[in-house]
């Protein structure tokens, strides 16, 4: 399973680091992604990193502010979020994929429970 943590209430301009730790599965073979779902909106893939930790994928709206990384020794993927904006308010989910198209949402089949990020203006 995947366990996400690190969300909270922060002021605009602040930072958070989200963590997602895997248990009960072999972490290394999985590509990992972070999704978010704002109220009334669809869940979207915002950042992803392949099993080798190569060049990550970011959706345009978070480029330059979000950084995804992974530590295979700790079975953990991170999302460093800087320069938070009110529009970043959402539930953030981590997910795992073994699909070759790891930059696409469709391949993510294993999900964590979500962590709430709320940004006040």
């Amino acid at each position: 399973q995947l366990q996400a943590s690190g969300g909270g209430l922060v002021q605009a301009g602040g930072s958070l680091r989200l963590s997602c730790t895997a248990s009960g599965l072999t972490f290394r073979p999985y590509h990992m992604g972070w999704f978010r779902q704002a109220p009334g909106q669809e869940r979207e893939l915002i950042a992803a990193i392949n099993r080798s930790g190569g060049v990550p994928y970011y959706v345009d709206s978070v480029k330059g502010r979000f950084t995804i990384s992974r530590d295979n020794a700790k079975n953990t993927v991170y999302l460093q979020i800087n320069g938070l904006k009110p529009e970043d308010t959402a539930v953030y989910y981590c997910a795992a994929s073994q699909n070759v198209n790891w930059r696409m949402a469709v391949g993510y089949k294993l999900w964590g429970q979500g962590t709430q990020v709320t940004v006040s203006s």
Side-chain angles (χ1 to χ4, degrees):
Q1 66 180 27
L2 302 176
Q3 181 73 36
S5 61
L9 172 63
V10 296
Q11 290 188 332
S15 298
L16 284 173
R17 188 173 83 154
L18 308 185
S19 300
C20 172
T21 300
S23 61
L25 59 85
T26 303
F27 182 72
R28 189 180 295 272
Y30 286 91
H31 313 302
M32 299 300 297
W34 283 98
F35 291 71
R36 69 183 180 187
Q37 186 169 22
Q41 298 186 20
E42 293 186 355
R43 191 178 304 186
E44 67 169 339
L45 176 64
I46 58 170
I49 188 166
N50 69 17
R51 61 171 65 98
S52 302
V55 178
Y57 161 82
Y58 299 100
V59 71
D60 286 346
S61 59
V62 308
K63 283 181 179 177
R65 299 188 298 122
F66 289 23
T67 303
I68 187 172
S69 61
R70 65 188 293 159
D71 185 337
N72 287 340
K74 295 182 178 180
N75 289 354
T76 300
V77 60
Y78 303 97
L79 187 68
Q80 177 68 41
I81 309 175
N82 298 325
L84 278 158
K85 304 176 181 180
E87 53 263 41
D88 294 320
T89 295
V91 179
Y92 285 69
Y93 300 87
C94 61
S97 168
Q98 291 187 302
N99 192 297
V100 63
N101 295 314
W102 56 273
R103 295 179 181 88
M104 298 178 65
V106 65
Y108 289 84
K109 305 298 185 184
L110 300 180
W111 291 87
Q113 85 290 1
T115 185
Q116 176 72 46
V117 172
T118 303
V119 185
S120 62
S121 58

